Amino acid sequence: MGDLLRGCAPRVLGVLVRHHGHFDACEDAVQEALLAAATRWPVDGVPDNPTGWLVTAAGRRLTDHWRSENARRRREDVVAAQAQLLVPGADSDRPGDVDDTLDLLFLCCHPDLAAPSRVALTLRAVGGLTTGEIAAAFLVPEATMAQRISRAKARLRGAAFPRDVDPGRVSAVLRVLYLIFTEGHTVSAGPELNRPDLTAEAIRLARAVRARRPGDGEVAGLLALMLLADARRDTRTGPGGVLVPLAEQDRSRWDRAAIAEGVALVEETVSRAPLGPYQVQSAIAAIHAEAAGDADTDWAQILVLYGILARIAPNPMVSLNRAVAVAKVAGPRAGLAEVAALAGDRRVAGHHRVAAVRAHLLELAGDLGEAVVEYRRAARLTLSVAERRYLEAKADRIG
């Protein structure tokens, strides 16, 4: 029942926003309709056209809402007219036949919203996650997330689906999907390493964006990156949820169908589309995916690609990943020098990944005492239980 309602929710909201605008009022009405369905369907049975049932129920709630605001004559006529067109079983304009999910996604990534609000609103309106689930995923109290979503909805009051999608809006959409996938791939906190529901939703929406923009290299690059990363999901943890690093994963268990699709996307776009950061990251992921093992990985090519990525999209995490590639090519001391260059960057000051990479390179260099100190420091800094256990185990093993 929950999966059915979650799948219907964005379609229902898309239909209402397409016909009426007023995102905030429509979203409230959809939530009320979903609650009514969750109460009634287990008793009455699931209707033949669940989406149509929800559209009708939400439309009635919109009518009630607008009546209470003393705008009955002008707005009730519109709602009544649209309700006649959207009655379940009608010959045309059945809600189930039209999917406005992608338009809804672009609306949620409105330029007036800050990035955290775009992510939260997308997960609520398009992904169908509850406010509590979103709050848990991003480590904030539910009340805080509810306020964030409420403010975002208020900013979109009166907004309609964008007629023309400019490059800036596309970039915002890709960034939101990347953030959703990243949080699902490696959860910021808690006992689990990943959240498959978030990664699956990000991949589904990335596919939808690619269907709308098949010639966009960065859209293809992001989808490829997601597929190649998600292909390793089942091998990233061992018994008891113990983290398994890339070099030690059982590559025979990787999802070869997802890898083949991801690699094909990389090959298709890199040669013809203007190079962007998602394409470069997907090319790096493809090299890892196609290697028989860590020793067979073309680290020299990965280092070249990280150099390109550092030029077109510089940030400290790119520099940190490049340091690992430098260590693979030129030795751990060279990699440590790269990590040391990040010492003054406030954006990663106190980040557990910097300490973890430093610890790993110190271990490879034979400085075991210093490596133990850094492993324990990284373990204290991370909020992920799986990562903490792994880092503590590494410190215990070499200490």
Side-chain angles (χ1 to χ4, degrees):
M1 179 71 70
D3 290 341
L4 175 60
L5 290 174
R6 178 172 293 183
C8 289
R11 286 196 171 207
V12 175
L13 181 56
V15 168
L16 295 181
V17 173
R18 174 162 51 90
H19 284 278
H20 311 305
H22 302 281
F23 176 94
D24 54 335
C26 290
E27 208 272 339
D28 288 340
V30 170
Q31 292 301 316
E32 292 180 24
L34 291 173
L35 181 60
T39 303
R40 291 180 55 182
W41 290 2
V43 178
D44 300 340
V46 177
D48 293 335
N49 183 2
T51 305
W53 189 100
L54 289 166
V55 168
T56 301
R60 289 170 180 159
R61 282 159 175 77
L62 273 179
T63 302
D64 293 340
H65 170 71
W66 283 333
R67 278 176 178 159
S68 69
E69 293 184 348
N70 298 317
R72 182 179 55 162
R73 288 186 179 179
R74 182 168 60 87
R75 286 173 172 158
E76 193 176 30
D77 288 345
V78 175
V79 173
Q82 297 297 344
Q84 293 298 318
L85 293 174
L86 298 173
V87 170
D91 292 334
S92 63
D93 203 15
R94 285 170 53 93
D97 297 333
V98 179
D99 189 352
D100 295 299
T101 300
L102 194 56
D103 290 317
L104 194 59
L105 171 61
F106 279 95
L107 178 60
C108 289
C109 294
H110 196 283
D112 286 349
L113 300 179
S117 296
R118 292 171 182 168
V119 172
L121 197 59
T122 297
L123 288 174
R124 169 70 177 267
V126 186
L129 272 67
T130 66
T131 303
E133 289 173 326
I134 302 168
F138 291 94
L139 310 176
V140 298
E142 184 171 351
T144 300
M145 184 57 70
Q147 291 176 350
R148 181 178 298 173
I149 292 173
S150 179
R151 286 194 297 266
K153 288 163 56 178
R155 293 294 296 271
L156 293 185
R157 185 172 292 128
F161 289 150
R163 294 183 178 180
D164 299 311
V165 180
D166 60 84
R169 184 74 69 98
V170 175
S171 295
V173 166
L174 297 185
R175 178 61 177 166
V176 165
L177 297 184
Y178 178 80
L179 291 173
I180 293 172
F181 180 86
T182 300
E183 179 61 29
H185 183 66
T186 304
V187 176
S188 300
E192 302 298 329
L193 181 66
N194 54 53
R195 285 194 55 170
D197 57 334
L198 291 184
T199 54
E201 185 61 20
I203 290 172
R204 182 183 76 85
L205 293 174
R207 289 189 187 281
V209 177
R210 176 159 166 75
R212 175 75 65 87
R213 300 179 64 85
D216 192 314
E218 279 293 83
V219 174
L222 179 59
L223 176 57
L225 177 61
M226 292 178 178
L227 291 168
L228 293 167
D230 197 55
R232 300 187 285 108
R233 182 180 64 225
D234 292 341
T235 65
R236 296 177 65 226
T237 55
V242 176
L243 186 149
V244 180
L246 176 61
E248 300 173 19
Q249 290 172 15
D250 181 358
R251 301 187 180 215
S252 68
R253 294 175 54 212
W254 287 0
D255 186 340
R256 290 295 156 185
I259 289 173
E261 183 181 0
V263 169
L265 284 169
V266 173
E267 293 175 345
E268 174 189 342
T269 59
V270 167
S271 60
R272 64 173 177 78
L275 199 60
Y278 294 122
Q279 290 169 271
V280 178
Q281 290 179 75
S282 66
I284 293 170
I287 293 174
H288 284 296
E290 293 189 302
D294 187 68
D296 303 300
T297 303
D298 189 347
W299 285 103
Q301 182 62 23
I302 288 176
L303 180 56
V304 170
L305 289 170
Y306 270 122
I308 296 171
L309 187 59
R311 288 197 299 272
I312 64 177
N315 71 66
M317 284 303 166
V318 170
S319 299
L320 189 62
N321 289 329
R322 183 178 181 278
V324 175
V326 168
K328 291 288 188 178
V329 173
R333 297 291 178 191
L336 284 166
E338 296 285 328
V339 175
L342 291 171
D345 195 322
R346 295 181 179 179
R347 292 172 294 176
V348 290
H351 198 291
H352 76 278
R353 282 205 61 213
V354 177
V357 169
R358 185 184 295 113
H360 175 63
L361 298 183
L362 285 167
E363 180 185 359
L364 293 178
D367 298 334
L368 301 186
E370 291 183 51
V372 169
V373 171
E374 288 299 306
Y375 275 129
R376 296 202 186 284
R377 179 168 178 266
R380 290 193 302 271
L381 291 171
T382 184
L383 297 176
S384 167
V385 174
E387 289 183 329
R388 183 184 305 121
R389 289 174 178 169
Y390 170 77
L391 293 164
E392 289 174 344
K394 288 286 290 184
D396 293 340
R397 190 176 302 122
I398 67 174

